[in-house]
Amino acid sequence: MIGVTITRYFAMRFMRTILAIFFTIFCLTFVVVFVEMLRRASDNPAAGAGVVALMTAMKVPAAAEMILPFAVLFGSMATFVDLTRKLELIVARAAGMSVWQFIMPAALTALVIGLVSVTIYNPLSAEMKLRSDQMEFELFGRPGSVRVDHGVWLRQHGVDGAAVLHAMQAVNAGTTLAGVSVNVYAPSGAFVERIEADKAHLEPGVWVLEEAMVSAPGEPARRVGSYLLATDMTPEQAAAAATPAQGTPFWDLPGVAERTAEAGLDATEYRLQFQTLLARPLLLIAMVLVSASFSLRFFRFGGVAKTLSGGVVAGFVLYIVTKVLSDLGGAGMISPLVAAWSPALVGSMLGTLTLLYSEDG
């Protein structure tokens, strides 16, 4: 009974600290994005402070999701140090608890946070960001400067030949594009013309490009009010191709990956994102083990800053390795399964090995 009480007490301490750090970073991100959105909305009378605040509140959760591993790392380190400084861990050791018994509450807390973030938080944040992007598109008509976006690429075929479309932003499940440029090719593969348009809408069997500028080899550029580009693309295929992997809800990733592959596009990013989210709970547990490796010593003779700095560096190295492997997996150089799971597995094993050496060895 005493063990259950202590475990619950430690788990609540870890939960409060991790959520406090995450909420603090969340608020700082909100302020930065809100100020930038206000600057962009200064020339738009329809975008008042309330509308901008609403868009920001729906946009920030997706951005804050990226800092969750650091919140777990810093929260775990802060809790371990505080418990040691107040001699609570010393008393727990004296009562016969091993290091694994008071690491277990932190690991269970990280596991719960990881599962909730993947199954509930991620789908909600993705949906809110989608609605925020729709509002931003309607207000400004172009991508925001605070939105990290490398554009949308679509390859299609029609009765007139093939075409490659690039858009700066896609909304309405990929059926409405902004900042569009199109290269049109004849059935033989020869380049025919280039079209640039402010917006494009997908209609049955055709893309409707508004305010288009058409340029063909050997001819002067001409502006047309509307340009019709034949296509065999369906709304489902457009949605699959235009939806970024990071903006796709967890539960939709397998289906989107399948539809993307059926559309003839590379679905590696969606498979990688799905495996990355599956591996997140283990990655958070690895952050706990890394923080415990640097935070459980009794700082009676100083050296707190040096030791904790080592923990922070180790956590950042683990995160950087995760990003590097993710880029390699997205480029198809390694398997998405290996890219997503290896950092969490290696981090967990190294943290466990360090604790075995320092505590039991």
Side-chain angles (χ1 to χ4, degrees):
M1 186 65 183
I2 295 178
V4 174
T5 302
I6 294 178
T7 299
R8 185 185 302 114
Y9 170 73
F10 283 168
M12 291 303 299
R13 290 284 297 273
F14 282 106
M15 182 70 74
R16 285 198 299 267
T17 306
I18 292 172
L19 292 182
I21 292 177
F22 179 79
F23 183 72
T24 300
I25 301 177
F26 184 97
C27 292
L28 292 175
T29 306
F30 178 89
V31 171
V32 173
V33 176
F34 180 68
V35 171
E36 175 62 19
M37 295 288 287
L38 277 180
R39 182 192 64 79
R40 293 186 57 224
S42 59
D43 298 331
N44 191 333
V51 175
V52 173
L54 178 60
M55 287 194 300
T56 304
M58 292 191 295
K59 185 185 293 289
V60 169
E65 190 176 3
M66 300 175 59
I67 52 90
L68 184 58
F70 294 107
V72 173
L73 174 68
F74 298 147
S76 299
M77 294 183 69
T79 306
F80 279 129
V81 171
D82 187 55
L83 290 173
T84 302
R85 183 177 61 84
K86 294 181 179 179
L87 305 181
E88 292 176 272
L89 288 187
I90 308 301
V91 173
R93 289 176 187 268
M97 292 186 67
S98 69
V99 63
W100 307 108
Q101 287 177 296
F102 51 76
I103 284 180
M104 184 183 299
L108 291 176
T109 300
L111 177 63
V112 171
I113 291 176
L115 292 175
V116 172
S117 71
V118 170
T119 59
I120 299 177
Y121 183 88
N122 175 265
L124 290 177
S125 65
E127 180 63 26
M128 287 191 293
K129 186 176 185 300
L130 180 64
R131 296 189 180 186
S132 175
D133 290 343
Q134 177 67 38
M135 295 176 61
E136 184 179 352
F137 179 80
E138 293 173 353
L139 286 173
F140 304 114
R142 64 184 188 276
S145 58
V146 296
R147 182 172 181 262
V148 180
D149 194 340
H150 301 291
V152 176
W153 291 91
L154 301 173
R155 296 194 302 271
Q156 64 150 51
H157 296 275
V159 295
D160 300 325
V164 178
L165 293 84
H166 176 262
M168 293 301 296
Q169 189 175 31
V171 293
N172 293 333
T175 59
T176 302
L177 308 177
V180 185
S181 60
V182 185
N183 289 338
V184 181
Y185 300 88
S188 62
F191 176 75
V192 176
E193 60 188 8
R194 178 180 175 86
I195 310 159
E196 296 185 359
D198 294 335
K199 296 181 182 180
H201 306 280
L202 179 61
E203 303 291 343
V206 65
W207 282 101
V208 180
L209 288 77
E210 301 177 358
E211 300 298 326
M213 179 71 72
V214 182
S215 304
E219 299 180 6
R222 66 185 190 278
R223 179 171 291 278
V224 296
S226 179
Y227 185 99
L228 302 182
L229 178 66
T231 181
D232 60 355
M233 185 172 293
T234 65
E236 292 76 17
Q237 291 174 327
T243 305
Q246 289 75 16
T248 305
F250 170 74
W251 301 108
D252 296 341
L253 280 169
V256 173
E258 183 179 352
R259 292 193 297 270
T260 301
E262 291 175 354
L265 301 172
D266 186 9
T268 303
E269 290 284 348
Y270 299 98
R271 298 190 181 102
L272 175 62
Q273 177 68 5
F274 182 68
Q275 294 297 330
T276 300
L277 291 176
L278 284 179
R280 178 182 291 173
L282 182 59
L283 178 63
L284 300 187
I285 292 176
M287 288 294 186
V288 169
L289 294 172
V290 168
S291 67
S293 303
F294 291 88
S295 309
L296 287 179
R297 54 174 294 194
F298 181 53
F299 300 107
R300 185 176 181 180
F301 302 105
V304 180
K306 181 178 179 180
T307 302
L308 296 185
S309 298
V312 173
V313 171
F316 271 97
V317 169
L318 178 59
Y319 182 77
I320 291 172
V321 170
T322 302
K323 297 300 292 182
V324 170
L325 291 178
S326 178
D327 291 340
L328 293 176
M333 300 180 66
I334 59 177
S335 167
L337 192 67
V338 174
W341 285 92
S342 55
L345 289 171
V346 173
S348 299
M349 290 188 293
L350 289 178
T352 303
L353 180 64
T354 303
L355 288 171
L356 284 172
Y357 177 79
S358 60
E359 296 290 336
D360 297 336

